[in-house]
């Protein structure tokens, strides 16, 4: 069975895109078939896999606005497949707002390809607008990257309120799987305190381990590589591999349970 996982936080620069690509490559290394979807008009994920967002004939925008079938927009890159974004996606946002059932557009478009993948990962933009709502409506699971600084964790409450709304109106089974702590610097007491406080405050588990701040991450996107390829034995690559392994094990467990239920 296929799982769709959204990575969301309306706060900018908390490593949503980095985490989406790194976990995607981690899952691919485990033998899973992975599709990434870039839902951000900034197109950072598209760029990070080595595609040029300014030279694409087709992107997610065409799916939303021209109803181009998703399979026509998918591109294969190293390890995995991606539905790329371009700046045009900012215009899709306006277009979607005028449509009935607008929050379901991605879920509907995904239906025809979803079953070809073990995991579909959604990189959401830093806002709580209609693109994010589409992502949360299409997702089975939510991961929340949080950068280990005070200002970035304050938005988590607001994101969880949005999740409650999405559950009430569009996607009752959306599961909040956990927080990914990013840009972690354990040399500061402040960072360690945040790490202790986060799960208590929001009642959401933190996926282990925290991902440390490292220059390796800054170098990778311009090479069109994930940190797992650029610096395979680094602590950051290992951290994302561990997180990918947990997601893989969780999916296997859920699969087993649903099979048991089917068999009665
Ligand atoms: N563990 C890390 N250590 C150091 N730098 C990192 C780490 N993770 C991500 N970065 C860098 O931080 C910046 C922001 O990361 P990223 O683009 O993934 O965040 P984002 O949440 O997707 O941002 P946006 O909200 O704009 O979409 C990038 O330059 C990235 O290379
Ligand atoms: Mg991003």
């Amino acid at each position: 069975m296929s799982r769709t996982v959204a990575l969301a936080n309306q706060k900018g620069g908390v490593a949503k895109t980095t985490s989406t690509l790194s976990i995607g490559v981690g899952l691919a290394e485990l033998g899973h078939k992975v599709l990434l979807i870039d839902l951000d008009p900034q197109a950072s994920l598209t760029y990070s896999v080595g595609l040029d967002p300014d030279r694409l004939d087709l992107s997610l925008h065409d799916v939303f606005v021209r109803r181009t079938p998703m399979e026509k927009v998918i591109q294969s890159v190293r390890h995995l497949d991606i539905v790329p974004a371009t700046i045009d996606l900012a215009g899709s946002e306006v277009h979607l707002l005028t449509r009935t059932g607008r929050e379901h557009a991605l879920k509907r478009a995904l239906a025809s390809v979803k079953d070809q993948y073990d995991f579909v990962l959604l990189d959401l933009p830093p806002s709580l607008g209609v693109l994010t709502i589409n992502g949360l409506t299409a997702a089975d699971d939510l991961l929340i990257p949080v950068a280990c600084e005070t200002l970035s964790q304050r938005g988590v409450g607001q994101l969880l309120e949005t999740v409650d709304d999405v559950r009430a109106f569009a996607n009752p089974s959306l599961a909040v799987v956990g927080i990914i702590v990013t840009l972690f610097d354990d040399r500061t007491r402040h960072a360690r305190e945040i790490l202790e406080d986060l799960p208590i405050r929001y009642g959401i588990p933190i996926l282990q381990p925290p991902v440390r701040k490292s220059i390796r991450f800054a170098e990778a996107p311009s090479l069109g590589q994930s940190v797992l390829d650029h610096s395979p034995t680094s602590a950051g690559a290992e951290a994302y591999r561990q997180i990918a392994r947990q997601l893989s094990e969780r999916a296997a467990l859920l699969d087993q349970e649903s099979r048991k239920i089917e068999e009665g």
Side-chain angles (χ1 to χ4, degrees):
M1 229 172 59
S2 167
R3 292 203 80 72
T4 302
V5 183
L7 286 92
N9 188 337
Q10 74 278 17
K11 167 98 170 101
V14 299
K16 292 178 290 292
T17 301
T18 305
S19 300
T20 305
L21 177 58
S22 305
I23 292 171
V25 171
L27 288 166
E29 282 183 358
L30 292 170
H32 293 297
K33 193 129 199 281
V34 177
L35 175 67
L36 307 181
I37 300 187
D38 191 348
L39 274 149
D40 188 347
Q42 296 178 96
S44 311
L45 180 65
T46 302
Y47 175 74
S48 302
V49 300
L51 298 175
D52 180 353
D54 295 332
R55 287 163 175 262
L56 293 170
D57 292 333
L58 288 172
S59 73
L60 186 56
H61 175 72
D62 299 283
V63 174
F64 284 146
V65 172
R66 304 205 173 79
R67 309 208 179 201
T68 305
M70 192 73 109
E71 46 267 44
K72 294 218 165 123
V73 178
I74 293 174
Q75 300 214 21
S76 293
V77 292
R78 198 175 172 191
H79 304 297
L80 38 76
D81 289 356
I82 181 168
V83 173
T86 64
I87 187 67
D88 297 336
L89 199 53
S92 318
E93 194 149 16
V94 179
H95 174 88
L96 282 171
L97 283 174
T98 65
R99 259 171 69 180
T100 323
R102 59 197 173 206
E103 61 268 39
H104 295 277
L106 178 66
K107 189 185 172 85
R108 268 201 309 261
L110 201 52
S112 62
V113 298
K114 186 174 150 71
D115 289 338
Q116 296 165 34
Y117 296 93
D118 301 311
F119 288 91
V120 179
L121 304 185
L122 312 176
D123 182 26
L124 303 194
S127 80
L128 294 173
V130 68
L131 291 169
T132 290
I133 303 299
N134 260 274
L136 295 176
T137 300
D140 303 303
D141 297 325
L142 170 63
L143 296 173
I144 309 175
V146 175
C148 216
E149 14 165 305
T150 331
L151 281 177
S152 67
Q153 44 155 340
R154 278 178 37 207
V156 175
Q158 203 188 352
L159 175 60
L160 292 175
E161 280 171 25
T162 304
V163 167
D164 281 341
D165 288 346
V166 169
R167 280 186 181 136
F169 297 111
N171 183 10
S173 58
L174 177 62
V176 181
V177 174
I179 290 170
I180 301 173
V181 174
T182 62
L183 295 151
F184 182 59
D185 181 356
D186 66 353
R187 286 171 304 182
T188 69
R189 186 157 61 95
H190 181 60
R192 291 196 301 270
E193 280 169 4
I194 288 173
L195 200 60
E196 283 169 20
D197 174 64
L198 265 175
I200 301 165
R201 182 182 311 196
Y202 298 111
I204 304 171
I206 290 185
L207 298 186
Q208 293 298 326
V211 184
R212 278 158 210 274
K213 217 178 251 181
S214 153
I215 186 68
R216 300 274 167 240
F217 283 94
E219 298 163 353
S222 60
L223 304 168
Q225 287 183 350
S226 78
V227 76
L228 283 75
D229 296 306
H230 172 58
S231 190
T233 59
S234 61
E238 263 319 309
Y240 278 116
R241 280 197 192 97
Q242 276 192 47
I243 291 170
R245 218 170 293 133
Q246 290 164 59
L247 293 180
S248 171
E249 284 164 8
R250 179 173 181 277
L253 213 71
L254 289 172
D255 259 9
Q256 242 177 27
E257 276 171 21
S258 72
R259 241 177 271 128
K260 266 188 210 154
I261 292 169
E262 270 172 29
E263 288 162 9

